[in-house]
Amino acid sequence: DTEVTQTPKHLVMGMTNKKSLKCEQHMGHRAMYWYKQKAKKPPELMFVYSYEKLSINESVPSRFSPECPNSSLLNLHLHALQPEDSALYLCASSQQTSGQETQYFGPGTRLLVL
Amino acid sequence: QKEVEQNSGPLSVPEGAIASLNCTYSDRGSQSFFWYRQYSGKSPELIMFIYSNGDKEDGRFTAQLNKASQYVSLLIRDSQPSDSATYLCAVHTGGFKTIFGAGTRLFVKA
């Protein structure tokens, strides 16, 4: 089973709203990732958690706040977003085996900021 | 700057033909290489991974890796209209960093 789930599938929010994206995997993977993907562009890495600790923050604005409550869950808290933040947000996980980081993606959350 | 280059396409092939997708990468120390398929509006789906030089076959898909030339390719045999998608080449460069190419759009004409 290589399933990563994400909720919600779609989200529309105003620039003053606070919302959260959720991601879950039950494959025993110890690394979890958030990516942002704009239309016709490749995924861009935002954050990586390894063993529930933040390992990489790719200079993401503070209006995006990640959280990893446990090894199976990953959240992305959103606050005061801008219209240019509209994109497909992808969660991924990997087993964290040195040199062979096969990442499995969830279905994504399509976010529209008005 | 570590880079992964792909021809953006579109690559158009007739149904039943072989589609050949190519990718080059700049980081000679890269160890793991992946091909993802992405349908419009959907998330990337892992098609193949390859770690060693040579060919790796899985059904209609063959990945080829040449580390000396820093080149990885994906062949799709007996292409079907359902193979029409964007194919992303991804290279694991170390730690948790995987760099994605911009993708090649493939159209398979019925």
Side-chain angles (χ1 to χ4, degrees), chain B residues 2-99:
Chain B
K2 297 174 183 177
E3 294 181 340
V4 176
E5 300 281 347
Q6 292 182 255
N7 187 327
S8 63
L11 173 65
S12 184
V13 300
E15 184 175 359
I18 296 175
S20 178
L21 306 165
N22 304 314
C23 173
T24 59
Y25 60 95
S26 62
D27 182 8
R28 193 170 282 280
S30 299
Q31 295 293 320
S32 311
F33 307 86
F34 308 90
W35 284 100
Y36 288 87
R37 177 176 63 196
Q38 188 170 26
Y39 293 112
S40 181
K42 303 294 186 183
S43 68
E45 173 192 7
L46 182 69
I47 297 295
M48 295 280 290
F49 58 86
I50 186 167
Y51 307 135
S52 305
N53 276 330
D55 295 0
K56 180 181 178 184
E57 187 174 320
D58 184 1
R60 296 187 295 113
F61 299 96
T62 299
Q64 299 173 317
L65 175 62
N66 184 326
K67 289 187 179 180
S69 300
Q70 294 174 240
Y71 176 92
V72 58
S73 65
L74 179 70
L75 300 178
I76 307 175
R77 288 181 300 282
D78 188 24
S79 295
Q80 302 297 309
S82 58
D83 294 326
S84 299
T86 295
Y87 289 80
L88 298 168
C89 173
V91 177
H92 179 233
T93 58
F96 296 104
K97 292 287 186 80
T98 295
I99 299 177

Side-chain angles (χ1 to χ4, degrees), chain A residues 8-92:
Chain A
K9 286 188 169 57
H10 302 275
L11 179 61
V12 180
M13 59 186 291
M15 290 189 283
T16 58
N17 293 156
K18 285 185 182 181
K19 297 286 184 183
S20 296
L21 309 185
K22 296 185 186 305
C23 174
E24 191 167 5
Q25 57 87 15
H26 294 288
M27 296 179 278
H29 288 176
R30 303 315 301 263
M32 296 185 76
Y33 309 73
W34 280 116
Y35 286 87
K36 173 183 176 180
Q37 188 178 25
K38 303 281 271 186
K40 300 190 189 305
K41 297 289 186 184
E44 294 175 36
L45 183 64
M46 300 175 72
F47 303 103
V48 181
Y49 274 83
S50 171
Y51 288 88
E52 299 153 51
K53 287 186 169 45
L54 184 64
S55 293
I56 293 178
N57 176 342
E58 291 286 91
S59 303
V60 179
S62 60
R63 57 186 185 268
F64 295 91
S65 175
E67 178 195 21
C68 189
N70 61 55
S71 60
S72 300
L73 291 174
L74 186 66
N75 298 321
L76 186 63
H77 302 297
L78 314 173
H79 173 56
L81 294 194
Q82 303 298 307
E84 60 265 28
D85 297 321
S86 299
L88 180 67
Y89 287 84
L90 295 162
C91 175

